[in-house]
Amino acid sequence: NICRSPIAEAVFRKMATDAGVVDKWVIDSGATSDWNIGSSPDARGLACLRKHGIETSHRARQVTKDDFMSFEYILCMDESNLSELNRKANLVKNSQAKIELLGSFDPQKQRIIKDPYYV
């Protein structure tokens, strides 16, 4: 949770702020694994955000059981994330979150958002 999702979180927060509706959303991001918990986003992602005038104070965290009960939507980046999140949601008795690919909202239909960390 140091690359794609904190970028998406920061961009969405900026868009909601600019539209004057940030107070109507709970915006957060989390990982499916416990790697990098507490870490800042990757330096390349931070540089990209800054280039576009977007700041973030994000620290990596793992998705929790409570997330499936408190968020209306949980958006993910690829099929692996989707599968893991659906698996975790099935273990939560009162899961109500709709789990979808963030890319399914892309007007250009790029459903999978590849991980640039490994590039």
Side-chain angles (χ1 to χ4, degrees):
N1 172 234
I2 61 167
C3 203
R4 296 174 291 181
S5 60
I7 291 171
E9 173 192 347
V11 169
F12 186 66
R13 187 179 315 284
K14 171 96 165 74
M15 292 172 69
T17 299
D18 290 353
V21 296
V22 73
D23 60 325
K24 298 185 184 319
W25 294 91
V26 176
I27 304 166
D28 199 354
S29 66
T32 56
S33 70
D34 60 2
W35 301 346
N36 302 307
I37 289 177
S39 297
S40 296
D42 182 78
R44 296 166 293 177
L46 288 173
C48 180
L49 288 170
R50 286 188 193 113
K51 179 180 172 184
H52 294 281
I54 301 172
E55 293 295 325
T56 185
S57 59
H58 176 81
R59 291 285 181 258
R61 71 175 193 88
Q62 188 172 14
V63 172
T64 67
K65 289 182 179 182
D66 286 344
D67 291 338
F68 294 100
M69 296 181 287
S70 61
F71 286 99
E72 187 174 348
Y73 287 93
I74 296 178
L75 304 175
C76 57
M77 304 297 170
D78 59 35
E79 296 288 350
S80 175
N81 293 155
L82 185 63
S83 175
E84 182 63 12
L85 288 166
N86 280 319
R87 185 190 70 74
K88 288 180 180 229
N90 287 333
L91 301 174
V92 178
K93 187 174 184 176
N94 297 318
S95 177
Q96 62 184 21
K98 296 175 188 109
I99 302 168
E100 298 185 31
L101 290 167
L102 176 61
S104 67
F105 297 92
D106 181 3
Q108 296 177 351
K109 306 292 185 216
Q110 186 172 341
R111 290 178 34 94
I112 303 301
I113 299 170
K114 295 179 182 174
D115 193 345
Y117 184 82
Y118 299 105
V119 175

